Amino acid sequence: MFEKCEAVVIRTIDYGETNKIVTFFTREWGKVAAMARGAKKPSSRLSAVTQPFTYGHYLIRRSRGVGVLHQGEIIDSMRTIREDIFTAAYASYIVELTDKITEEQKRNPYLFELLLQTLQYMNEGRDLEILTCIYEVKMLSVMGIPPTLDRCAICSRTEGNFSFSVKEAGFLCHRCESADPHRIPLSAAAVRLLRLFYYIDVSRLGTISVKEKTKRELRTAISSYYDEYSGLSLKTKRFLTQIDELKEISSSGQNMGNHNKNNEKTSDH
């Protein structure tokens, strides 16, 4: 029997000459895989509805293994994501992260809403790095490895200057910082944002403007925590790391160029 669901396409694999195996993250059932027969043909009615990141209504016959996709109706094609290589890179990371940590057919409406809202924000052109940081921080609870972000992980005090400790799994206040010589220094802005990312309702997210320096602090803390506790090694994450490295090189080059120009102006006078 075919059943209707609301879903986002998170992965596709070619199967034979004309078919695809499509993995959906659904509101009703969690993650399910289904065979889309003929979907590789451009003329197929299943071709458009099985594009990565597509959000829609689908008729699927479920089974313990791979089910069968009968038809789909697009609600949002997320076209902007697929047309921009950088947006697609960040979106690919959050769907791969979702895919890797979720089990087949385990319902999680909260995670469905989080994934859908994040993709829609990316599709609208909001800050990709900040959206990714928020998603990563919120996924830590889904994985069962949440850090302590509302107080010092050792003394539980909520006031003071804080750093981030991978070893102690959360914030360390200045009174307890000696407990981890490898703690990660954080600005007050980065501390506020990490805490905000963990507790905020993403559907109520307004415009957030974050300096590049603060973004680097956030990436360092979150990535270090994932490396220690998640056990994940994702291709899409490695690609994002390369993008970040290229951006830093480009930024350094621009700063050097501006510095040289200023020196030339000074020498002219």
Side-chain angles (χ1 to χ4, degrees):
M1 181 181 74
F2 286 97
E3 302 171 87
K4 189 174 183 178
C5 67
E6 185 182 346
V8 173
V9 176
I10 62 172
R11 178 160 49 97
T12 65
I13 300 174
D14 292 343
Y15 187 82
E17 293 184 4
T18 61
N19 307 323
K20 290 181 186 177
I21 296 176
V22 184
T23 301
F24 299 92
F25 199 80
T26 74
R27 183 187 296 278
E28 294 81 1
W29 317 312
K31 186 170 68 176
V32 297
M35 177 72 72
R37 301 190 186 282
K40 285 175 64 178
K41 297 178 181 178
S43 59
S44 169
R45 59 188 173 83
L46 298 181
S47 177
V49 299
T50 55
Q51 293 297 310
F53 317 119
T54 300
Y55 165 50
H57 287 128
Y58 297 88
L59 275 179
I60 297 173
R61 187 173 70 215
R62 288 188 290 159
S63 70
R64 289 188 176 181
V66 177
V68 176
L69 174 64
H70 179 58
Q71 66 183 54
E73 178 185 356
I74 294 174
I75 300 173
D76 191 341
S77 68
M78 306 286 183
R79 181 177 176 181
T80 302
I81 292 178
R82 289 198 302 275
E83 290 181 345
D84 182 84
I85 186 171
F86 293 107
T87 309
Y90 283 92
S92 295
Y93 170 59
I94 70 164
V95 297
E96 186 183 11
L97 179 58
T98 306
D99 188 18
K100 291 295 184 185
I101 70 167
T102 52
E103 300 175 23
E104 296 287 339
Q105 302 196 35
K106 188 171 182 180
R107 187 171 180 266
N108 190 332
Y110 162 78
L111 184 51
F112 176 82
E113 284 292 344
L114 178 62
L115 174 64
L116 176 60
Q117 186 69 76
T118 304
L119 289 174
Q120 288 177 328
Y121 282 153
M122 288 182 169
N123 196 56
E124 292 168 7
R126 298 212 195 183
D127 193 309
L128 297 169
E129 293 169 275
I130 293 304
L131 289 172
T132 301
C133 286
I134 293 172
Y135 199 84
E136 287 179 309
V137 170
K138 290 190 170 298
M139 291 295 272
L140 292 171
S141 288
V142 178
M143 289 187 278
I145 51 171
T148 301
L149 298 176
D150 60 343
R151 61 190 184 280
C152 176
I154 293 180
C155 73
S156 296
R157 291 180 182 174
T158 57
E159 295 181 357
N161 298 318
F162 291 90
S163 55
F164 186 80
S165 170
V166 174
K167 173 176 169 258
E168 300 297 336
F171 287 148
L172 287 185
C173 72
H174 62 277
R175 292 169 288 264
C176 301
E177 61 184 17
S178 61
D180 182 5
H182 303 294
R183 65 192 179 280
I184 299 168
L186 293 177
S187 62
V191 170
R192 282 196 307 272
L193 286 171
L194 267 180
R195 188 178 290 127
L196 174 69
F197 293 171
Y198 187 78
Y199 291 105
I200 194 171
D201 179 348
V202 176
S203 66
R204 299 187 179 187
L205 183 68
T207 302
I208 299 179
S209 179
V210 181
K211 295 178 181 178
E212 284 301 319
K213 177 179 178 295
T214 308
K215 287 182 181 180
R216 286 195 295 272
E217 292 180 70
L218 293 169
R219 286 198 302 267
T220 298
I222 295 169
S223 294
S224 299
Y225 195 82
Y226 264 79
D227 289 345
E228 181 68 23
Y229 295 108
S230 74
L232 297 172
S233 178
L234 307 182
K235 292 180 181 179
T236 49
K237 178 63 174 178
R238 291 195 292 273
F239 183 56
L240 288 189
T241 301
Q242 291 172 351
I243 289 176
D244 291 336
E245 290 171 353
L246 288 173
K247 284 174 64 178
E248 288 187 17
I249 292 171
S250 175
S251 176
S252 298
Q254 288 177 354
N255 291 337
M256 182 63 72
N258 291 335
H259 178 71
N260 290 338
K261 285 180 182 179
N262 290 334
N263 285 342
E264 288 174 6
K265 288 179 183 178
T266 303
S267 62
D268 288 341
H269 292 293

